[in-house]
Amino acid sequence: MELWPALPGEQQGSPRALEPGALESLVQSMGGPRKVASASAAASTLSEPPRRTQESRTGTRALGLPMEKSAAVTEPQGPRPVLGRDSVQVPDDQDFRSFRSECEAEAGWNLTYSKAGVSVWVQAVEMDRALHKIKCRMECRDVPAETLYDVLHDIEYRKKWDSNVIETFDIARLTVNADVGYYSWRCPKPLKNRDVITLRSWLPMGTDYIIMNYSVKHPKYPPRKDLVRAVSIQTGYLIQSTGPKSCVITYLAQVDPKGSLPKWVVNKSSQFLAPKAMKKMYKACVKYPEWKQKHQPHFKPWLHPEQSPLPSLALSELSVQHADSLENIDESAVAESREERSSGAGGEGSDDDTSLT
């Protein structure tokens, strides 16, 4: 699964996918012939995978809605995260629309970085609070949207290019477009490393894609003593095609790092780590087609769910991971290590991608 945490408290969706690498990685059953037209349709069956057909590329837009009706859809104001939910739910069409709306929103966001096609914003009203919100956007001029989508899903490839991952694996499938997974990652020294359990869901929308996740509790994977269990309130990616070989990706993360973070972490995340992680992901996307040809080129369970080896899991086995039920770690006074300072001293540094071949 996949996600890239925006701050040490967040997960994204893991190399599972969505599922959010570490700070530096900020910026990650089924079968049948036809595409999933909506989140509701996906949640109602385990036998119909989302497929990239010509029909899905030209006949629908967001969430499978007919193009002529898209303008009539009323977008919700702001996101509808899992805050306040008492039970685990697979996101529905409204959740996906709401997430897309938040990714595209401008009001209330403070631009902290903009250079070479990469932009980073933080939520202005929450900049000094423990609950961090960050948004990153990157233009990918020679990477098709479907390639980026594959990279975010391919857990084996993620292990190759995400140098911050400690351990990651998928646990079980819930529906044709939702699963549960584990991800742990290294945080900037001397902060404690984090881990997360997330429910991740995804939805192709014509030529665009959404992947998003939120934290859940699984009875077989309780918090570990050697890691801080973080909470993803809502984290994900919006991938928008801008041409046959280009796209724009927006990464949005609302997280609780379970503790008070030093300001240098917040500043470094938005000014240095987020842009660097985005560019590292871009390099991984460029190299992916060649790598995939050598590593099970036809194995893509996120497109062909009948290939998934994961066991099924009932939603009733999971519960919502509320932040207030976890230990709060105060790291606000932790000073940045000499190693971390030197790693950021030379601008954006260099990415070691020698393992991608």
Side-chain angles (χ1 to χ4, degrees), residues 159-181:
K159 294 173 183 177
K160 295 290 184 180
W161 64 268
D162 182 0
S163 59
N164 294 290
V165 63
I166 299 174
E167 184 179 17
T168 181
F169 51 85
D170 297 333
I171 298 173
R173 57 186 171 87
L174 300 172
T175 69
V176 72
N177 71 326
D179 58 19
V180 178

Side-chain angles (χ1 to χ4, degrees), residues 123-137:
Q123 188 68 270
V125 297
E126 296 181 354
M127 288 178 65
D128 296 323
R129 296 177 57 186
L131 190 62
H132 301 288
K133 206 168 184 179
I134 190 168
K135 179 162 59 177
C136 309
R137 184 170 297 143

Side-chain angles (χ1 to χ4, degrees), residues 238-297:
L238 168 63
I239 306 169
Q240 297 172 292
S241 176
T242 56
K245 296 183 179 180
S246 62
C247 65
V248 171
I249 180 171
T250 301
Y251 171 76
L252 176 66
Q254 184 175 5
V255 305
D256 189 328
K258 289 317 301 167
S260 301
L261 299 173
K263 288 188 176 181
W264 66 263
V265 172
V266 179
N267 293 336
K268 189 168 186 175
S269 295
S270 60
Q271 297 288 346
F272 169 67
L273 294 175
K276 182 179 179 181
M278 280 294 213
K279 292 176 181 179
K280 190 172 185 179
M281 181 184 68
Y282 170 78
K283 291 182 179 181
C285 289
V286 172
K287 293 178 177 289
Y288 181 71
E290 180 180 357
W291 180 91
K292 188 60 176 174
Q293 282 299 314
K294 302 175 183 178
H295 301 83
Q296 295 183 290

Side-chain angles (χ1 to χ4, degrees), residues 21-25 162-166 183-187 280:
L23 280 174
E24 185 174 347
S25 292
D162 182 0
S163 59
N164 294 290
V165 63
I166 299 174
Y183 185 61
S184 60
W185 67 96
R186 299 178 183 87
C187 289
K280 190 172 185 179

Side-chain angles (χ1 to χ4, degrees), residues 43-188:
S44 66
T45 180
L46 283 175
S47 63
E48 296 176 346
R51 304 292 291 272
R52 290 183 189 144
T53 62
Q54 186 64 27
E55 175 190 2
S56 68
R57 291 183 177 283
T58 60
T60 60
R61 287 295 295 167
L63 308 170
L65 295 171
M67 295 184 68
E68 64 271 19
K69 294 183 180 180
S70 296
V73 176
T74 300
E75 295 290 351
Q77 297 301 312
R80 192 181 69 162
V82 296
L83 288 171
R85 283 186 180 172
D86 294 322
S87 62
V88 175
Q89 303 169 29
V90 174
D92 58 20
D93 291 359
Q94 183 179 339
D95 291 307
F96 280 99
R97 284 196 297 266
S98 177
F99 180 81
R100 180 176 188 135
S101 178
E102 181 74 354
C103 285
E104 296 175 340
E106 297 181 1
W109 289 93
N110 180 44
L111 182 66
T112 61
Y113 179 96
S114 182
K115 182 179 179 181
V118 178
S119 300
V120 182
W121 297 263
V122 294
Q123 188 68 270
V125 297
E126 296 181 354
M127 288 178 65
D128 296 323
R129 296 177 57 186
L131 190 62
H132 301 288
K133 206 168 184 179
I134 190 168
K135 179 162 59 177
C136 309
R137 184 170 297 143
M138 177 174 65
E139 300 174 7
C140 302
R141 296 183 179 179
D142 51 359
V143 174
E146 54 265 33
T147 297
L148 184 45
Y149 184 65
D150 287 347
V151 167
L152 291 175
H153 271 289
D154 199 322
I155 187 173
E156 294 304 320
Y157 189 58
R158 184 66 175 265
K159 294 173 183 177
K160 295 290 184 180
W161 64 268
D162 182 0
S163 59
N164 294 290
V165 63
I166 299 174
E167 184 179 17
T168 181
F169 51 85
D170 297 333
I171 298 173
R173 57 186 171 87
L174 300 172
T175 69
V176 72
N177 71 326
D179 58 19
V180 178
Y182 174 85
Y183 185 61
S184 60
W185 67 96
R186 299 178 183 87
C187 289

